[in-house]
Amino acid sequence: MITTIIFDIGNVLIDFDWDGFIHRLFPGADHTFYDKLNETVWGGGRWDRLDAGDEPEQVLASLINYSPDLEKELRSIVENIGDTLKKRPSTPDWLKSLKTRGYRLLYLSNYSRYVMKKNPEVLDFLPLLDGGVFSCDVKLIKPQREIYECLAQKYDLIPSECVFIDDLARNIQAGKDFGFNVLQSVTPEQIQRDLNNLLEKEGK
């Protein structure tokens, strides 16, 4: 029986609109520019270090070292990164309905304190959850097995009684390998429907 639902945050409980963000920040740039920007930020685990708790200045220095010709753009991205995040209107009611049905709700998210401070309003649903783990607080990031172990130990979880929801296939696979039931989030409507189907199947 499922007793606990574990949520990633970005693209599960809030929207993370990276593509829209960089096109708004640098309108009219060509594909080569966007490709290089994406590779600089997301390649090589450079941005992961922010989620793992490194200081933003260290992460920015690493990005600039990789692409010194993009220093101005990279500084702008780091300064305005909070603009990538947007509330999902359906999230509070979804969480409340699951709480009403008796489920324990937790989060497991790759997230940095720096980004939280840049846009704290998008996390106003956190009081509806029963706790969780942010990567920056434990210096671990998904899909490292240790971060799943950290959550399980903190809340005395039985993996087979949990369902873990994430938008990234690599994190889903790691959760499955750990023993969680898993669902991949693509759209708000899809994930709410898939979760409800799974819970109905479990009979609660």
Side-chain angles (χ1 to χ4, degrees):
M1 177 185 290
I2 300 296
T3 62
T4 304
I5 303 167
I6 305 164
F7 300 91
D8 178 30
I9 290 180
N11 287 331
V12 176
L13 297 178
I14 64 175
D15 289 321
F16 176 70
D17 182 19
W18 168 257
D19 288 339
F21 167 68
I22 60 170
H23 282 83
R24 290 190 300 272
L25 204 57
F26 312 112
D30 61 27
H31 289 297
T32 301
F33 170 82
Y34 290 127
D35 288 346
K36 185 171 184 181
L37 207 56
N38 282 322
E39 167 58 26
T40 301
V41 175
W42 302 114
R46 286 173 286 276
W47 190 267
D48 289 344
R49 298 313 310 160
L50 188 64
D51 289 338
D54 286 5
E55 292 298 321
E57 294 80 8
Q58 293 176 280
V59 175
L60 178 59
S62 174
L63 297 175
I64 293 171
N65 184 63
Y66 185 82
S67 293
D69 56 317
L70 294 178
E71 178 174 354
K72 179 181 177 182
E73 291 83 357
L74 292 168
R75 289 186 181 279
S76 183
I77 286 170
V78 172
E79 176 61 29
N80 295 284
I81 193 66
D83 294 342
T84 58
L85 306 173
K86 191 170 88 171
K87 291 182 182 182
R88 282 190 176 177
S90 61
T91 290
D93 287 343
W94 185 30
L95 297 178
K96 289 174 185 176
S97 71
L98 292 169
K99 290 284 287 185
T100 299
R101 294 167 69 179
Y103 294 103
R104 178 166 57 164
L105 309 182
L106 303 173
Y107 60 85
L108 182 63
S109 180
N110 288 353
Y111 218 118
S112 72
R113 290 290 165 186
Y114 176 78
V115 175
M116 288 182 214
K117 290 176 183 177
K118 285 293 184 180
N119 194 343
E121 295 82 7
V122 297
L123 297 178
D124 62 1
F125 59 83
L126 284 181
L128 297 172
L129 301 174
D130 299 302
V133 168
F134 284 122
S135 61
C136 59
D137 295 333
V138 295
K139 313 300 185 188
L140 297 165
I141 58 172
K142 295 176 294 183
Q144 292 176 294
R145 183 179 178 88
E146 290 83 357
I147 195 170
Y148 299 86
E149 292 173 344
C150 181
L151 182 76
Q153 291 171 6
K154 184 176 181 179
Y155 294 98
D156 196 25
L157 301 180
I158 299 172
S160 63
E161 295 182 357
C162 303
V163 56
F164 169 61
I165 301 171
D166 202 291
D167 64 312
L168 297 180
R170 63 178 179 270
N171 297 339
I172 288 290
Q173 185 60 53
K176 184 177 181 180
D177 292 343
F178 187 71
F180 291 144
N181 299 280
V182 296
L183 292 172
Q184 187 166 6
S185 175
V186 179
T187 68
E189 298 77 17
Q190 163 266 325
I191 192 55
Q192 291 185 37
R193 180 180 64 250
D194 288 356
L195 177 61
N196 191 59
N197 289 342
L198 176 62
L199 297 179
E200 287 186 353
K201 182 180 176 182
E202 291 291 324
K204 181 176 179 182

